[in-house]
Amino acid sequence: MSKIVLQKNKPIILSIGGSLIVPSGSPDVMFLKALKKFVDAQIKIGNKIVIVSGGGKTARHYIDAASGVQKVVDEDLDWLGIHATRLNGHLLRTIFRKVAHPAVIKDPTKTPRKWKSSVLIAAGWKPGWSTDYVACRIAKRLGVDMVINASNIDYVYDKDPKKFKDAVPVEEMRWKAFQDIVGYTWHPGTSAPFDVVASGFCHRNKMKVAIVNGDDFKNISALVAGRGFRGTILE
Ligand code: UTP
């Protein structure tokens, strides 16, 4: 079990992989209900929460569609992905209408340092990275040193599990070791456990990221409460 203590009186920064919001053709209502239950419980105990939404299969379908018709420049593929993340952001803002800041944040450098509502929703910003990076930029701006990255994997492995059968899950990994596995260069629509650009940013800024599976909010609640959780701490 991994364990981490979150800073007191700071918002929780939760980056949600689009694969959780839109795992196949359409949004996953069961997941959204579980997310709502988790967020409501956090609000009840006085926590504020920033949710950064990924693009999921919507992003991938649009990227594949454009590329299937003709050669498209990477920047335009990223823009398709960005709009998918923003659509998902609006979906979340709608669900959290009563408790969320009214605007979806599209530029992390303009994130309000103080906001009244309990929830702040953010989505994609500019080409060249994923929403993981947006979440890290927001965390840094708000003085938060840890980002929770929920996606569809339980752990980061010591080697690429798609290439190596003997890859084993790890509970803690240094940024350098992680970067040696996932590389340093961005390609639109790639799905590493955590974005390479965001990894470099966290490394430089001495930030941590907890990689957890979004299928289990009890586990994420344990993490937030400083109890043992299933997942990998990148640091
Ligand atoms: P995601 O954040 O969903 O990235 O953005 P991802 O890692 O590919 O997918 P999941 O969420 O882990 O499943 C979708 C795509 O949108 C573009 C990128 O092409 C990204 O792959 N994007 C997103 C940007 O170019 N800039 C941003 O700020 C955000």
Short mmCIF file of all heavy atoms in Angstrom, two decimals, residues 54-55 58-59 62 76-90 106 123-125:
data_model
loop_
_atom_site.label_atom_id
_atom_site.label_comp_id
_atom_site.label_asym_id
_atom_site.label_seq_id
_atom_site.Cartn_x
_atom_site.Cartn_y
_atom_site.Cartn_z
N GLY A 54 -10.16 14.92 -19.00
CA GLY A 54 -9.52 14.46 -20.23
C GLY A 54 -10.54 14.29 -21.34
O GLY A 54 -11.75 14.48 -21.14
N GLY A 55 -10.04 13.92 -22.52
CA GLY A 55 -10.91 13.85 -23.70
C GLY A 55 -11.48 12.48 -24.00
O GLY A 55 -12.50 12.36 -24.66
N THR A 58 -13.74 10.25 -27.22
CA THR A 58 -14.21 11.32 -28.11
C THR A 58 -12.99 11.93 -28.80
O THR A 58 -12.98 12.09 -30.03
CB THR A 58 -14.96 12.42 -27.32
OG1 THR A 58 -15.89 11.78 -26.46
CG2 THR A 58 -15.67 13.39 -28.24
N ALA A 59 -11.96 12.25 -28.01
CA ALA A 59 -10.73 12.82 -28.57
C ALA A 59 -10.14 11.86 -29.60
O ALA A 59 -9.84 12.24 -30.73
CB ALA A 59 -9.73 13.09 -27.45
N TYR A 62 -12.15 11.54 -32.91
CA TYR A 62 -12.03 12.70 -33.80
C TYR A 62 -10.63 12.79 -34.41
O TYR A 62 -10.48 13.13 -35.58
CB TYR A 62 -12.39 14.00 -33.04
CG TYR A 62 -13.88 14.23 -33.06
CD1 TYR A 62 -14.74 13.43 -32.31
CD2 TYR A 62 -14.44 15.20 -33.88
CE1 TYR A 62 -16.11 13.62 -32.35
CE2 TYR A 62 -15.82 15.39 -33.93
CZ TYR A 62 -16.64 14.59 -33.15
OH TYR A 62 -17.99 14.76 -33.21
N ASP A 76 -3.24 20.40 -35.25
CA ASP A 76 -4.69 20.30 -35.46
C ASP A 76 -5.26 19.07 -34.75
O ASP A 76 -6.39 19.10 -34.26
CB ASP A 76 -5.01 20.25 -36.95
CG ASP A 76 -4.92 21.64 -37.59
OD1 ASP A 76 -4.90 22.63 -36.82
OD2 ASP A 76 -4.86 21.74 -38.82
N LEU A 77 -4.48 17.99 -34.69
CA LEU A 77 -4.95 16.80 -33.96
C LEU A 77 -5.11 17.15 -32.48
O LEU A 77 -6.09 16.79 -31.84
CB LEU A 77 -3.97 15.64 -34.12
CG LEU A 77 -3.81 15.09 -35.54
CD1 LEU A 77 -2.84 13.93 -35.56
CD2 LEU A 77 -5.16 14.66 -36.13
N ASP A 78 -4.13 17.88 -31.97
CA ASP A 78 -4.22 18.30 -30.56
C ASP A 78 -5.46 19.17 -30.33
O ASP A 78 -6.14 19.03 -29.33
CB ASP A 78 -2.96 19.08 -30.15
CG ASP A 78 -1.81 18.16 -29.76
OD1 ASP A 78 -2.06 16.98 -29.47
OD2 ASP A 78 -0.66 18.63 -29.72
N TRP A 79 -5.75 20.07 -31.28
CA TRP A 79 -6.92 20.94 -31.09
C TRP A 79 -8.21 20.13 -31.02
O TRP A 79 -9.12 20.45 -30.25
CB TRP A 79 -7.01 22.02 -32.18
CG TRP A 79 -6.15 23.22 -31.84
CD1 TRP A 79 -5.08 23.67 -32.55
CD2 TRP A 79 -6.30 24.10 -30.71
NE1 TRP A 79 -4.54 24.77 -31.92
CE2 TRP A 79 -5.27 25.06 -30.80
CE3 TRP A 79 -7.19 24.17 -29.64
CZ2 TRP A 79 -5.10 26.07 -29.85
CZ3 TRP A 79 -7.02 25.17 -28.69
CH2 TRP A 79 -5.99 26.11 -28.81
N LEU A 80 -8.28 19.07 -31.84
CA LEU A 80 -9.47 18.20 -31.76
C LEU A 80 -9.57 17.60 -30.36
O LEU A 80 -10.64 17.58 -29.75
CB LEU A 80 -9.40 17.08 -32.81
CG LEU A 80 -9.62 17.51 -34.26
CD1 LEU A 80 -9.36 16.35 -35.20
CD2 LEU A 80 -11.05 18.03 -34.46
N GLY A 81 -8.42 17.13 -29.86
CA GLY A 81 -8.39 16.57 -28.50
C GLY A 81 -8.80 17.61 -27.46
O GLY A 81 -9.58 17.32 -26.55
N ILE A 82 -8.29 18.81 -27.61
CA ILE A 82 -8.60 19.89 -26.65
C ILE A 82 -10.10 20.14 -26.59
O ILE A 82 -10.68 20.26 -25.51
CB ILE A 82 -7.83 21.18 -27.04
CG1 ILE A 82 -6.34 21.00 -26.78
CG2 ILE A 82 -8.37 22.40 -26.29
CD1 ILE A 82 -5.44 22.05 -27.40
N HIS A 83 -10.73 20.18 -27.75
CA HIS A 83 -12.19 20.44 -27.75
C HIS A 83 -12.96 19.29 -27.12
O HIS A 83 -13.99 19.51 -26.49
CB HIS A 83 -12.67 20.80 -29.15
CG HIS A 83 -12.25 22.18 -29.53
ND1 HIS A 83 -12.84 23.30 -28.98
CD2 HIS A 83 -11.26 22.64 -30.33
CE1 HIS A 83 -12.25 24.38 -29.46
NE2 HIS A 83 -11.27 24.02 -30.25
N ALA A 84 -12.43 18.07 -27.27
CA ALA A 84 -13.09 16.93 -26.60
C ALA A 84 -12.97 17.07 -25.08
O ALA A 84 -13.93 16.83 -24.34
CB ALA A 84 -12.45 15.61 -27.06
N THR A 85 -11.80 17.52 -24.61
CA THR A 85 -11.63 17.70 -23.15
C THR A 85 -12.57 18.80 -22.64
O THR A 85 -13.09 18.72 -21.55
CB THR A 85 -10.18 18.07 -22.76
OG1 THR A 85 -9.88 19.39 -23.21
CG2 THR A 85 -9.17 17.09 -23.30
N ARG A 86 -12.77 19.82 -23.48
CA ARG A 86 -13.65 20.93 -23.06
C ARG A 86 -15.10 20.50 -23.04
O ARG A 86 -15.88 20.93 -22.17
CB ARG A 86 -13.43 22.14 -23.98
CG ARG A 86 -12.05 22.75 -23.77
CD ARG A 86 -11.80 23.91 -24.69
NE ARG A 86 -10.47 24.47 -24.41
CZ ARG A 86 -9.92 25.45 -25.11
NH1 ARG A 86 -10.58 26.00 -26.12
NH2 ARG A 86 -8.72 25.90 -24.81
N LEU A 87 -15.48 19.64 -23.98
CA LEU A 87 -16.86 19.11 -23.97
C LEU A 87 -17.08 18.32 -22.67
O LEU A 87 -18.08 18.50 -21.99
CB LEU A 87 -17.08 18.21 -25.20
CG LEU A 87 -18.44 17.53 -25.29
CD1 LEU A 87 -19.57 18.55 -25.37
CD2 LEU A 87 -18.49 16.61 -26.50
N ASN A 88 -16.09 17.50 -22.33
CA ASN A 88 -16.20 16.74 -21.07
C ASN A 88 -16.19 17.67 -19.86
O ASN A 88 -16.88 17.42 -18.87
CB ASN A 88 -15.07 15.71 -20.96
CG ASN A 88 -15.29 14.54 -21.90
OD1 ASN A 88 -16.41 14.29 -22.31
ND2 ASN A 88 -14.22 13.83 -22.23
N GLY A 89 -15.42 18.73 -19.95
CA GLY A 89 -15.40 19.73 -18.87
C GLY A 89 -16.79 20.33 -18.67
O GLY A 89 -17.25 20.49 -17.54
N HIS A 90 -17.45 20.63 -19.78
CA HIS A 90 -18.80 21.20 -19.67
C HIS A 90 -19.79 20.19 -19.13
O HIS A 90 -20.72 20.55 -18.39
CB HIS A 90 -19.25 21.77 -21.01
CG HIS A 90 -18.64 23.12 -21.27
ND1 HIS A 90 -19.13 24.27 -20.67
CD2 HIS A 90 -17.57 23.49 -21.99
CE1 HIS A 90 -18.36 25.29 -21.05
NE2 HIS A 90 -17.41 24.84 -21.83
N LYS A 106 -9.90 27.23 -19.12
CA LYS A 106 -9.25 26.75 -20.35
C LYS A 106 -7.79 27.16 -20.38
O LYS A 106 -7.03 26.68 -21.20
CB LYS A 106 -9.96 27.33 -21.56
CG LYS A 106 -11.38 26.83 -21.71
CD LYS A 106 -12.01 27.47 -22.93
CE LYS A 106 -13.50 27.24 -22.93
NZ LYS A 106 -14.22 28.44 -23.37
N ALA A 123 -10.14 22.19 -18.29
CA ALA A 123 -9.99 21.26 -19.42
C ALA A 123 -8.76 21.66 -20.23
O ALA A 123 -7.91 22.39 -19.74
CB ALA A 123 -11.26 21.28 -20.26
N GLY A 124 -8.68 21.18 -21.49
CA GLY A 124 -7.49 21.38 -22.31
C GLY A 124 -7.18 22.84 -22.60
O GLY A 124 -8.08 23.68 -22.65
N TRP A 125 -5.90 23.11 -22.82
CA TRP A 125 -5.41 24.48 -22.97
C TRP A 125 -4.88 24.73 -24.37
O TRP A 125 -5.56 25.32 -25.20
CB TRP A 125 -4.33 24.71 -21.89
CG TRP A 125 -3.66 26.04 -21.86
CD1 TRP A 125 -4.16 27.24 -22.30
CD2 TRP A 125 -2.34 26.31 -21.35
NE1 TRP A 125 -3.25 28.23 -22.10
CE2 TRP A 125 -2.13 27.70 -21.52
CE3 TRP A 125 -1.35 25.53 -20.76
CZ2 TRP A 125 -0.94 28.32 -21.12
CZ3 TRP A 125 -0.16 26.14 -20.36
CH2 TRP A 125 0.04 27.51 -20.54
#
